Amino acid sequence: SPSLRAAAMATGPPPPLEPVPLPVFAEEGFGDKFLRKTRENPLVPLGCLCTLGVLTYGLISFKRGNTRRSQLMMRARILAQGFTFAALLGGMVVTAMKSR
């Protein structure tokens, strides 16, 4: 109905004729992004470092012939990777909740 359309148009300001410009953000370098992401979720880099340390120690043990310790370190590596993955998922959930 024409009167309904006229009432709807009268309630608000007219739409802008030109598109609204999008905000321009400064270019973020790798180091800046890494530091920002580390501050947002410090458990992920910690889990990566733990995984790398356990993996390195396990490979050194394997090279020296200590198969028992090598196997133990490979199992510990799986746990460290699981922790890192859980931290990553947790961080994603927290970020998604913040954006709502």
Side-chain angles (χ1 to χ4, degrees):
S1 69
S3 63
L4 189 64
R5 183 178 299 139
M9 290 175 75
T11 59
L17 295 175
E18 295 183 15
V20 178
L22 294 173
V24 178
F25 296 104
E27 195 64 33
E28 189 178 34
F30 175 78
D32 295 331
K33 185 173 183 178
F34 180 78
L35 288 175
R36 180 175 56 84
K37 292 286 187 181
T38 300
R39 272 188 243 108
E40 286 174 9
N41 193 355
L43 295 178
V44 172
L46 183 69
C48 290
L49 286 174
C50 287
T51 302
L52 184 65
V54 170
L55 175 65
T56 303
Y57 188 58
L59 290 173
I60 290 170
S61 297
F62 180 74
K63 188 173 182 183
R64 290 181 178 165
N66 191 344
T67 54
R68 186 172 173 84
R69 177 161 291 140
S70 175
Q71 280 294 316
L72 186 66
M73 289 299 106
M74 289 305 118
R75 290 183 184 138
R77 177 187 58 87
I78 299 296
L79 290 175
Q81 280 180 301
F83 170 80
T84 305
F85 186 70
L88 189 65
L89 282 179
M92 288 171 59
V93 167
V94 168
T95 303
M97 296 297 233
K98 277 185 188 175
S99 66
R100 286 186 174 191

